[in-house]
Amino acid sequence: MSATQAAQISTDTAPAGPGTRTSADPLNGPLGALLPRMLGAMGWQRSERVLRSAVSEAGPLTLAGFAQALRRLGFEVSVSDRTPQRWELGADGALVRIARDGDAEALVRSAGTTTRVVPDPEAPVSSGPGFRAERYLHVVEPGASALRQPDPTVA
């Protein structure tokens, strides 16, 4: 093996430096890129290291891995094929919408104000009013009191 080939192998297998993401990085892909941006919009202020400690997948984050990471961080998460009733009633938290093709976006609501969060703000917009979600994840912050959340049983 030549020195050039050895250098290429070592470059290909070297761990990524701080702030560098590789294709096998779970924080790549629509859900992986959305996770830290959504948490930031929710006011979550922890290091990327803490976030990574909650992610158990080695490749791009799947729906199951996304939900599991949030649960490990203390969030309440429910997965559904339609918008959860608590969200429709105005509960604070995040609603992650996932399309059949894997595109994802989050709507983050706090004190009645809703903010749209996308994995890559530089990418062409494929979501918005015409976004067709197949799966929904409702995320409620750790310690969110049931008293602060709308009760779906009360009309």
Side-chain angles (χ1 to χ4, degrees):
M1 178 181 332
S2 73
T4 305
Q5 289 170 320
Q8 182 61 44
I9 290 170
S10 110
T11 302
D12 290 344
T13 59
T20 304
R21 295 191 176 151
T22 65
S23 61
D25 187 338
L27 297 184
N28 272 343
L31 289 173
L34 182 64
L35 184 59
R37 294 181 50 75
M38 179 192 78
L39 290 172
M42 293 177 78
W44 194 74
Q45 299 177 353
R46 307 290 188 288
S47 70
E48 186 173 321
R49 188 174 185 176
V50 171
L51 175 59
R52 286 183 180 282
S53 73
V55 176
S56 63
E57 295 185 3
L61 209 53
T62 64
L63 174 59
F66 187 87
Q68 181 182 43
L70 287 165
R71 287 184 183 114
R72 286 180 174 172
L73 294 169
F75 291 85
E76 178 186 323
V77 179
S78 61
V79 180
S80 178
D81 58 355
R82 61 181 161 210
T83 306
Q85 187 176 18
R86 279 178 67 182
W87 177 263
E88 289 178 353
L89 291 172
D92 283 353
L95 179 66
V96 179
R97 304 185 323 164
I98 304 160
R100 180 180 304 273
D101 65 3
D103 280 346
E105 71 174 3
L107 303 174
V108 176
R109 183 183 295 142
S110 179
T113 302
T114 303
T115 305
R116 184 171 159 263
V117 180
V118 294
D120 181 2
E122 303 296 321
V125 176
S126 63
S127 56
F131 189 86
R132 297 275 185 221
E134 180 178 79
R135 303 292 291 171
Y136 296 86
L137 229 99
H138 187 222
V139 182
V140 179
E141 297 181 45
S145 167
L147 295 175
R148 295 187 322 181
Q149 301 297 326
D151 183 348
T153 63
V154 176

